[in-house]
Amino acid sequence: MHIKMVVLAVALFVILSSCAVECWNTNSEMERLRCEQTTLHQQQDALAQMRLGCHQDRAKKEVAGTNILTYGAVDEEDDSLHVSEEDSRKQGDPCFHYTVLDQAWRATNTTTSYKRCDRNVKWNGWYRLFYNGKSIQMPERCVPVDKCGTNSPLWLAGPHPKRRDGIVTRNVCGHWKKDCCAFKSTPIQVKKCLGNYYVYKFTQPTSCRLAYCADINTLVCGRCRRNQSCVSQDKINWRCKTKKRILSNPQIHFFASYPGQLTGKVNRIKYSKVLVNMGRAFNRGTGVFTAPVKGVYQFFFSTQTANTNLKTDLWLVVNGYWVAVSHTHVFRPSTVGNLSTYMTFLRKGAVVYVTHNSGRSWANGSSMTITFGGSLLAQWK
Ligand SMILES: *[C@@H]1O[C@H](CO)[C@@H](O)[C@H](O)[C@H]1NC(C)=O
Ligand SMILES: *[C@@H]1O[C@H](CO)[C@@H](O)[C@H](O)[C@H]1NC(C)=O
Ligand SMILES: *[C@@H]1O[C@H](CO)[C@@H](O)[C@H](O)[C@H]1NC(C)=O
Ligand SMILES: *[C@@H]1O[C@H](CO)[C@@H](O)[C@H](O)[C@H]1NC(C)=O
């Protein structure tokens, strides 16, 4: 029993390594993507490969085949060979279980004399569009009549989903006789997958001759990296755009206090006792914080009234605007403290300070009652 397992493990290892090498030597983008999938569920694939031969061989057969629609789903692992929860999740995910549809005649720039009709196709499950091995998407705009190897080209009457949208349903339109949606064909389901490609659950169109289109202008989208999205203003010219993202923060934190009493109007409180000043964005000489980068900041500031029956107001001033108050007012012979917080988006160079507008605030060298502090929570590039 044990010896059997060792032999199996060695066999798996040999198969995995030989396949992996083969993968990285391939030029076709589609095969490379497939290879990435292979590494994702190595174990499952290895077991499947033991039965079915190398993944790549199958991929090549699928691409080479002209009558692609007769091929089954890409992955058909044995249900009894589940290895992990993640793998079982992928079992039901169309991003890992689609049929390759690599038919150049579907491109938006082809005109053929032989007109196809997708109504004659037995659609089953999910499909991914390719153009000579390169990932491609459906058009999101009206396609001229007699393109895409048919009479009435079918286009997606709505935007492709984002990844967080999951599976969405979209209407499909067929262009005919100057009406971009002369044929309101049966809706299809669409999903965006990791790796910047889409899978479509095509259905039988309403009539002949209608066929699903592959937008030749979206060939560029297959080249986008994972941290890029494919964008277009006019839905004709597409480009890869690096996603905006919050980068790891530079460390910006400060905390300071005023070590004495304040009375009446004090334009800028000069918090001279600085306990923390990471990033040196707070100026102890002026009491002013200057945002060193664009991002989301949080501030806090506090006061404590002296026993005076005066209204005491401290204001947080951001770029000249009074945005938040720390207010105290006591009538009885007593004191009270107040702490206010404020969170905001600041551009680089924004100026923040605290003004003592009225009343009397009390502090001494160790009381920490008149304080001002803040942090950069997230940088925005
Ligand atoms: C369609 O576009 C592709 C990619 O730009 C090109 O290789 C092909 O020759 C074009 N086909 C026609 C018929 O213009
Ligand atoms: C995007 O990802 C690539 C690797 O796939 C990396 O080299 C590049 O630096 C990333 N770009 C950004 C802006 O994060
Ligand atoms: C603290 O400040 C808030 C806002 O100005 C005010 O409503 C509240 O009464 C103050 N607390 C005390 C104890 O003065
Ligand atoms: C500051 O005030 C507190 C509270 O009244 C007091 O206990 C402390 O001794 C004072 N410290 C200094 C340095 O004056």
Side-chain angles (χ1 to χ4, degrees), residues 225-228 242-243 245 247:
R225 291 173 184 274
R226 286 195 174 193
N227 55 11
Q228 293 180 316
T242 302
K243 288 174 193 164
R245 63 179 183 140
L247 297 174

Side-chain angles (χ1 to χ4, degrees), residues 76-314:
E76 61 270 272
E77 277 97 16
D78 189 334
D79 278 345
S80 64
L81 296 175
H82 279 197
V83 235
S84 71
E85 247 177 63
E86 174 146 321
D87 285 327
S88 59
R89 187 178 54 74
K90 282 175 186 164
Q91 290 264 319
D93 188 342
C95 288
F96 298 92
H97 301 269
Y98 55 77
T99 302
V100 169
L101 205 56
D102 192 338
Q103 297 166 316
W105 57 263
R106 290 190 183 274
T108 45
N109 68 345
T110 50
T111 319
T112 56
S113 49
Y114 178 67
K115 306 293 183 201
R116 321 262 178 159
C117 178
D118 275 350
R119 195 170 165 75
N120 301 331
V121 174
K122 293 256 179 297
W123 297 102
N124 178 23
W126 291 79
Y127 296 84
R128 179 174 172 189
L129 292 168
F130 284 88
Y131 180 85
N132 292 332
K134 291 188 183 113
S135 197
I136 192 168
Q137 341 179 149
M138 273 187 81
E140 285 176 22
R141 69 192 161 94
C142 189
V143 178
V145 166
D146 287 338
K147 295 287 178 184
C148 308
T150 192
N151 289 127
S152 175
L154 290 175
W155 56 283
L156 204 61
H160 280 77
K162 296 190 185 339
R163 277 230 311 140
R164 63 168 178 269
D165 298 335
I167 294 171
V168 300
T169 301
R170 288 284 182 265
N171 290 325
V172 171
C173 280
H175 182 193
W176 191 241
K177 289 191 175 162
K178 291 183 182 164
D179 183 353
C180 280
C181 205
F183 294 100
K184 289 177 180 59
S185 191
T186 44
I188 60 168
Q189 288 183 305
V190 187
K191 186 181 182 195
K192 179 164 191 179
C193 301
L194 195 65
N196 217 359
Y197 66 92
Y198 296 89
V199 287
Y200 306 90
K201 195 168 187 192
F202 291 135
T203 54
Q204 241 186 1
T206 44
S207 52
C208 275
R209 281 182 296 265
L210 275 58
Y212 292 107
C213 278
D215 191 346
I216 202 76
N217 300 302
T218 66
L219 265 187
V220 62
C221 300
R223 293 201 301 266
C224 298
R225 291 173 184 274
R226 286 195 174 193
N227 55 11
Q228 293 180 316
S229 45
C230 201
V231 295
S232 172
Q233 301 264 310
D234 54 9
K235 305 287 180 203
I236 296 167
N237 300 297
W238 294 77
R239 68 190 171 91
C240 298
K241 187 180 167 212
T242 302
K243 288 174 193 164
K244 260 193 177 182
R245 63 179 183 140
I246 291 170
L247 297 174
S248 60
N249 289 336
Q251 299 293 310
I252 309 292
H253 307 282
F254 76 101
F255 177 57
S257 81
Y258 188 81
Q261 301 209 23
L262 291 166
T263 305
K265 182 89 184 160
V266 177
N267 227 355
R268 281 191 194 99
I269 302 176
K270 290 187 187 65
Y271 296 90
S272 54
K273 205 173 160 186
V274 178
L275 283 85
V276 174
N277 195 7
M278 277 180 82
R280 316 208 67 78
F282 180 73
N283 184 327
R284 80 172 66 212
T286 59
V288 172
F289 173 84
T290 307
V293 294
K294 186 162 118 183
V296 176
Y297 291 83
Q298 185 168 34
F299 298 98
F300 57 90
F301 59 108
S302 66
T303 184
Q304 180 181 305
T305 48
N307 181 4
T308 55
N309 194 16
L310 287 175
K311 278 192 246 175
T312 302
D313 277 350
L314 270 69

